[in-house]
């Protein structure tokens, strides 16, 4: 199937007389005829559902759709993008381990890694995604367990050189994890470029309508854990909490990562997406392939308009021919990147605040990447916990305005910017 068809059809095929739409299985628990039946589930001997803290059928149908779109072998939903990124790392790295990470990632993820996960004893080295080969090489340590980056960084709009980082990760026997939130699998499939694990904040374009916070993890199924068995004992040695199962042996390349993540992390943390939210997410996914091109088309026109405006100091959008990442974006995302633009006004931080107050169509919201045009000043909101040095290293200067172009008529969006700039 092509991606447009998968958006509608993948993940759920109703049988004779069953609901046409993915059913919402709003149930905490599932009934079995015998204790033996249930015992097999607890031992991971049979697949099935017993408690929605770990797994729910509605979620799994929607995860299967996202997995198909990404070209992966297994997928799962999480309660948020934060949970997805946390799980993606914590499933393979533990106290005493180390991760190489692009410095330009989303502020929330940066804080999760740099503050909270450090408290758990996991060390991170943040590298400029455009660093020299030598710097990248030097970032690796004997205890490195993964490399992490974002296809298009939020909000720095740095396009990640997936192939280069995948090669570096694989040369060191570790997987590359890519957060593909901004590009979505409509515009880029990181697995095709060598990524091993893909994560999402489904809160953004996938849901697309400001209704549901959520996340997803997809395994590309190519990383050979057993070939690097000493680095990943959680996958390659018996799990005593599951009767001595060795995930990489029992579930193979395609299933080990997601099975372990569900059986251990979802069991213990319970960061599950509500089935109702998964249903809303599925509605968003159905139109994803139609919405993404419209976001890109509108953003392109808005970026060109801003670039030509005398009060605008700079514009960053990977679709602009002069942009630093234009060529790389054409390689990885030939059909378009995303609807998010960042720019600064000649009046700097103060002008940004004044300008934003005057906007009417573009609303101020701590959100990005959905049908509604919205605007945000990260230095004053999502990134305010970062120091000025961290802001600059993250590619988010104090004057940066993040404009998420929606799917309204672009003339109304431009007219709104025009009156606010005036
Ligand atoms: C928003 C976002 C997250 C965090 O997702 P939540 O759903 O808000 O928890 C992670 N990565 C990227 C790239 C994001 O834009």
């Amino acid at each position: 199937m092509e991606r447009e068809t998968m958006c509608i059809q993948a993940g759920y095929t109703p049988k004779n007389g069953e609901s046409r739409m993915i059913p919402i299985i709003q149930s905490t628990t599932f009934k079995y005829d015998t204790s033996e039946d249930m015992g097999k589930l607890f031992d991971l001997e049979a697949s099935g559902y017993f408690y929605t803290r770990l797994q729910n059928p509605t979620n799994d149908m929607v995860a299967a759709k996202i997995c198909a779109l990404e070209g992966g072998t297994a997928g799962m939903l999480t309660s948020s993008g934060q949970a997805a990124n946390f799980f993606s790392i914590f499933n393979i790295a533990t106290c005493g381990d180390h991760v190489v990470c692009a410095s330009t990632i989303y502020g929330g993820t940066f804080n999760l890694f740099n503050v909270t996960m450090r408290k758990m004893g996991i060390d991170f080295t943040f590298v400029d995604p455009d660093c020299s080969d030598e710097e990248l090489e030097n970032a690796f340590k004997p205890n490195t367990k993964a490399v992490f980056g974002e296809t298009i960084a939020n909000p720095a709009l740095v396009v990640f050189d997936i192939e280069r980082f995948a090669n570096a990760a694989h040369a060191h026997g570790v997987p590359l994890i890519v957060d593909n939130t901004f590009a979505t699998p409509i515009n880029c499939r990181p697995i095709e470029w060598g990524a091993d694990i893909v994560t999402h904040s489904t809160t953004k374009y996938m849901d697309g309508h400001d209704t549901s916070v959520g996340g997803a993890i997809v395994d590309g199924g190519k990383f050979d854990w057993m070939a690097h068995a000493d680095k990943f004992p959680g996958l390659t040695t018996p799990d005593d909490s599951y009767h001595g199962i060795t995930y990489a042996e029992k579930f193979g390349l395609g299933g080990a990562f997601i099975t372990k993540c569900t059986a251990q992390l979802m069991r213990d943390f319970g960061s599950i997406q509500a089935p109702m939210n998964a249903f809303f997410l599925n509605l968003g996914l159905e139109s994803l392939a139609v919405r993404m091109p419209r976001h890109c088309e509108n953003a392109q026109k808005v970026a060109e308009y801003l670039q030509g405006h005398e009060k605008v100091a700079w514009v960053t959008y990977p679709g602009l021919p002069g942009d630093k990442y234009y060529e790389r974006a054409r390689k990885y995302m030939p059909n378009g990147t995303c609807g998010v633009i960042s720019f600064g006004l000649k009046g700097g931080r103060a002008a940004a605040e004044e300008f934003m107050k005057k906007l009417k169509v573009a609303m101020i919201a701590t959100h990005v990447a959905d049908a509604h045009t919205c605007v945000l000043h990260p230095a004053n909101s999502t990134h305010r916990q970062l120091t000025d040095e961290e802001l600059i290293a993250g590619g988010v200067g104090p004057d940066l305005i993040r404009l998420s172009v929606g799917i309204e008529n672009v003339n109304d969006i431009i007219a709104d910017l025009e009156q606010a700039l005036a």
Side-chain angles (χ1 to χ4, degrees), residues 80-388:
S80 66
Q82 290 295 98
N85 285 330
F86 170 56
F87 278 17
S88 74
I89 301 264
F90 200 59
N91 203 34
I92 47 176
T94 180
C95 185
D97 289 339
H98 171 258
V99 175
V100 175
C101 184
S103 60
T104 47
I105 56 169
Y106 171 65
T109 312
F110 180 77
N111 202 66
L112 167 68
F113 292 174
N114 192 46
V115 179
T116 301
M117 291 184 76
R118 276 195 202 280
K119 287 183 191 161
M120 304 171 91
I122 300 173
D123 186 21
F124 290 83
T125 297
F126 294 95
V127 294
D128 182 331
D130 297 313
C131 67
S132 69
D133 288 344
E134 196 189 347
E135 278 173 87
L136 181 55
E137 188 59 30
N138 289 343
F140 286 88
K141 300 182 182 183
N143 58 342
T144 301
K145 296 299 166 79
V147 177
F148 187 98
E150 288 174 12
T151 312
I152 309 173
N154 172 13
L157 301 176
V158 170
V159 176
F160 192 50
D161 195 345
I162 303 172
E163 259 185 332
R164 176 181 177 219
F165 278 76
N167 289 338
H170 298 158
H172 289 272
V174 301
L176 174 66
I177 304 170
V178 173
D179 179 334
N180 197 31
T181 297
F182 266 27
T184 82
I186 302 305
N187 286 341
C188 181
R189 296 208 274 196
I191 292 166
E192 289 176 353
W193 298 100
D196 300 288
I197 308 290
V198 171
T199 61
H200 281 279
S201 165
T202 62
T203 318
K204 313 294 165 55
Y205 289 119
M206 284 193 167
D207 168 64
H209 301 82
D210 267 331
T211 74
S212 314
V213 171
I217 309 174
V218 172
D219 182 4
K222 287 184 208 142
F223 192 84
D224 191 349
W225 309 105
M226 277 300 187
H228 310 282
D230 54 322
K231 280 191 196 289
F232 305 105
L235 283 153
T236 61
T237 60
D239 176 2
D240 292 335
S241 69
Y242 276 102
H243 295 258
I245 280 174
T246 299
Y247 293 99
E249 267 170 9
K250 189 160 176 82
F251 301 100
L253 294 189
F257 187 90
I258 294 293
T259 307
K260 175 180 181 289
C261 204
T262 302
Q264 291 180 344
L265 302 188
M266 208 50 108
R267 176 195 62 188
D268 294 350
F269 291 99
S271 313
I272 193 93
Q273 191 165 138
M276 181 73 93
N277 282 8
F279 178 83
F280 286 128
L281 168 56
N282 180 60
L283 282 183
L285 288 168
E286 291 202 349
S287 63
L288 186 65
V290 182
R291 288 185 287 110
M292 285 314 290
R294 172 67 172 248
H295 277 291
C296 296
E297 193 186 308
N298 280 1
Q300 185 71 31
K301 288 184 186 150
V302 170
E304 285 166 11
Y305 164 77
L306 287 171
Q307 200 174 37
H309 199 287
E310 56 176 19
K311 290 187 182 171
V312 175
W314 56 272
V315 183
T316 298
Y317 183 65
L320 289 175
D323 190 88
K324 185 175 176 195
Y325 297 102
Y326 180 74
E327 289 304 329
R328 196 180 290 164
R330 284 185 58 87
K331 169 179 169 179
Y332 289 106
M333 290 163 275
N335 298 324
T337 53
C338 65
V340 182
I341 296 170
S342 33
F343 66 99
L345 298 180
K346 287 186 179 153
R349 188 174 194 146
E353 280 163 29
E354 251 345 272
F355 161 76
M356 283 172 60
K357 272 187 218 158
K358 300 287 191 312
L359 290 166
K360 296 188 179 89
V361 173
M363 294 181 195
I364 299 176
T366 312
H367 194 44
V368 69
D370 74 76
H372 314 82
T373 294
C374 57
V375 70
L376 185 78
H377 189 204
N380 254 338
S381 52
T382 47
H383 288 58
R384 68 185 297 145
Q385 74 280 13
L386 304 188
T387 65
D388 275 5

